[in-house]
Amino acid sequence: MHLPALLNLTALTSGHPPSLPTVRSSSATSTSRTHLSPTTPNLRLVRLRLPSRNLFLPYGPWTLLNTTDLLPFPGPWTNTSAPATWAPDVQYISATNSFVLYYAAALPKHHGGGKDGSKNYKCIGAATSFNITGPYTPLPKPIICPAHDGGAIDASGFWDEADGSRWIMYKIDGSAQGPGGKCGNGKPPGKPTPLMLQRVDEKDGVTMLGKAVKVVDRDPEVDGPLVEAPSLVRLREVPQGVKWRYVLFFSSHCYNEEEYDVRYAVAEGETFQKDDLADPSIDPPTEQGRLR
């Protein structure tokens, strides 16, 4: 992130925790709505005007742009009568001076899970715009859709300034197939809810490069029914003798329980190889913990 270059801060609002990608002239945070009406925007905006290029004030004041809908139509692949648009994330694509919006939305019921296809699984779509405030035009098909594993949500883009590579982290929503209990996945043994890392073309942010790999999955004794909402960062300041360090923040437990928290996992090394974090043969994260 290049905070001194910010001119304004824009946020998408609704029920999901906001994300905050930074671009040359602005940045955007996003959340989602699950109770939509014909007059309710799918994704709304909050904008923060900064007094100068050199001052970053994330604490506000913020102004809700209540009538701005970034994604009026979530795409033909969704359940258009009840898309349940969820967990958006906006990324700036410098190659085209444009923006890509990642989001989750419900599949049509006949494409969902369960024996009769009635489970309301979600997959991850993408939409593009040359204006951070939209409107965004959705791609005709989802970009990540492991429906056989419960679908996917919580897409979070990551641009690695070390080599210019671009990635998407997301959750395979195994809890949508869970046996019941807290968040639908609290009863043993429960389903995996792995956080995945997928490389994409830095020129468009949507073309998949290679296969996604699992970075971390839930430990039922520590995380309860799930892990979700991943956010990956690379640290510029690292301990002596360490060449690179990435930190993955994510939530665990059920969102409506007191135990819901933010955890982190750290990967680091003495020599940098750009595919280290996405290499399933490397050691597990060197450090893990919890923020309360």
Side-chain angles (χ1 to χ4, degrees):
M1 289 190 177
H2 304 284
L3 300 183
L6 292 181
L7 298 180
N8 64 65
L9 192 63
T10 305
L12 293 72
T13 69
S14 66
H16 186 269
S19 63
L20 181 59
T22 302
V23 299
R24 289 177 181 174
S25 61
S26 63
S27 66
T29 81
S30 52
T31 67
S32 47
R33 304 186 66 89
T34 55
H35 49 285
L36 301 180
S37 71
T39 59
T40 301
N42 288 329
L43 303 174
R44 296 184 299 169
L45 287 166
V46 176
R47 171 166 290 173
L48 171 64
R49 291 291 184 182
L50 301 185
S52 76
R53 287 175 175 264
N54 298 316
L55 186 60
F56 181 59
L57 301 174
Y59 45 82
W62 295 79
T63 302
L64 176 64
L65 306 182
N66 195 38
T67 60
T68 301
D69 189 351
L70 297 191
L71 191 66
F73 176 57
W77 59 271
T78 68
N79 183 343
T80 54
S81 62
T85 314
W86 187 253
D89 180 76
V90 172
Q91 296 288 315
Y92 175 65
I93 307 299
S94 60
T96 54
N97 193 28
S98 65
F99 302 88
V100 61
L101 167 66
Y102 305 126
Y103 62 96
L107 296 171
K109 284 191 174 181
H110 62 279
H111 289 153
K115 292 181 179 180
D116 59 357
S118 62
K119 293 241 181 178
N120 195 26
Y121 291 175
K122 294 180 175 69
C123 284
I124 293 170
T128 59
S129 175
F130 286 102
N131 190 332
I132 194 171
T133 58
Y136 285 78
T137 302
L139 301 185
K141 297 180 180 180
I143 60 172
I144 298 172
C145 195
H148 56 286
D149 292 325
I153 61 173
D154 295 353
S156 176
F158 170 66
W159 175 70
D160 193 339
E161 63 180 23
D163 63 357
S165 60
R166 185 169 289 280
W167 309 76
I168 300 175
M169 290 215 64
Y170 63 94
K171 170 196 174 185
I172 290 183
D173 198 16
S175 44
Q177 295 181 328
K182 292 182 179 181
C183 278
N185 201 38
K187 293 182 179 180
K191 292 286 188 177
T193 62
L195 303 182
M196 308 295 290
L197 181 67
Q198 171 68 61
R199 188 169 183 175
V200 294
D201 192 331
E202 60 271 17
K203 296 182 181 65
D204 60 20
V206 297
T207 300
M208 304 291 131
L209 301 179
K211 295 182 178 180
V213 295
K214 180 174 69 175
V215 177
V216 68
D217 200 351
R218 75 181 187 105
D219 178 343
E221 298 298 322
V222 177
D223 301 308
L226 56 82
V227 290
E228 63 182 13
S231 180
L232 181 64
V233 298
R234 179 189 172 106
L235 300 185
R236 292 180 177 177
E237 297 183 6
V238 297
Q240 185 175 4
V242 175
K243 299 298 183 183
W244 56 269
R245 173 179 273 191
Y246 295 91
V247 182
L248 172 64
F249 296 96
F250 59 96
S251 293
S252 68
H253 296 281
C254 196
Y255 71 95
N256 59 358
E257 299 284 339
E258 184 177 352
E259 293 84 2
Y260 196 61
D261 58 10
V262 176
R263 298 192 62 215
Y264 67 91
V266 178
E268 63 182 23
E270 295 182 359
T271 58
F272 174 71
Q273 298 176 14
K274 64 182 178 181
D275 292 328
D276 272 346
L277 199 61
D279 184 348
S281 67
I282 65 172
D283 293 334
T286 57
E287 176 186 341
Q288 297 191 52
R290 174 176 296 174
L291 306 178
R292 296 300 296 266

